Amino acid sequence: MKSIHYILIFYLIFTISCTENNSENNQDVQKENNLLTTIRFDNEIIDFGDVKQGDTLTARYSFKNSGANDLIIDYVNPECGCTSYTISQKRILASDSGYINLVIDTYDKIGNVNIYAIVKSNTKDKFNRLLVKANIK
């Protein structure tokens, strides 16, 4: 009979702790949703046209925080090791603007290339994709 009591007590403790955990997780999701904002890029595609192999290309993507909350850029992830980036700042106040520079080394590239970078931020869609195009001769 004692073992049944222990099982019931364990079950109650487990159920209560799971319920509290789910409640905390739901509060975190609601808090995160309340802090979402919107980002508006002037242009998400930059086409350099014909360039000489070995040139270094710098693509500047200007954007505006068009929402009511601070925009927080979590990271920028270029798909190619030939690409680095700089960002004006990681936190952009509502109505303020910023930029992301993608710097591409074309040393080992030839022909038509498309280089993408993913930007993760606290926006509804979470991810934006930037594209650099060039015809490297």
Side-chain angles (χ1 to χ4, degrees):
M1 194 68 167
K2 276 188 173 184
S3 63
I4 293 177
H5 289 310
Y6 289 127
I7 292 172
L8 286 173
I9 290 171
F10 175 76
Y11 176 76
L12 286 172
I13 291 171
F14 179 76
T15 304
I16 290 170
S17 69
C18 287
T19 304
E20 288 176 3
N21 248 353
N22 286 338
S23 174
E24 289 173 12
N25 289 341
N26 288 339
Q27 288 173 354
D28 289 344
V29 168
Q30 287 175 346
K31 184 187 289 186
E32 181 180 310
N33 286 339
N34 290 338
L35 297 177
L36 295 179
T37 191
T38 54
I39 188 171
R40 190 181 77 240
F41 282 91
D42 292 346
N43 193 354
E44 293 181 4
I45 301 171
I46 295 179
D47 188 345
F48 284 94
D50 293 338
V51 297
K52 189 174 80 174
Q53 186 179 34
D55 286 351
T56 299
L57 308 177
T58 301
R60 178 171 284 213
Y61 298 88
S62 298
F63 61 85
K64 181 174 184 171
N65 177 357
S66 53
N69 296 311
D70 289 0
L71 171 68
I72 300 167
I73 305 289
D74 292 321
Y75 63 79
V76 177
N77 186 16
E79 71 169 346
C80 177
C82 66
T83 306
S84 62
Y85 73 92
T86 57
I87 186 169
S88 57
Q89 54 192 11
K90 287 190 165 245
R91 180 179 293 268
I92 309 292
L93 301 176
S95 299
D96 278 355
S97 298
Y99 64 86
I100 296 169
N101 285 338
L102 295 180
V103 181
I104 298 102
D105 179 3
T106 65
Y107 175 75
D108 63 347
K109 304 280 185 221
I110 191 90
N112 287 316
V113 295
N114 293 323
I115 298 173
Y116 295 93
I118 301 298
V119 179
K120 182 178 184 277
S121 60
N122 63 325
T123 57
K124 181 182 174 190
D125 294 333
K126 291 197 185 210
F127 300 100
N128 288 85
R129 185 171 73 167
L130 306 176
L131 171 62
V132 177
K133 299 170 86 173
N135 183 27
I136 302 169
K137 301 199 174 243

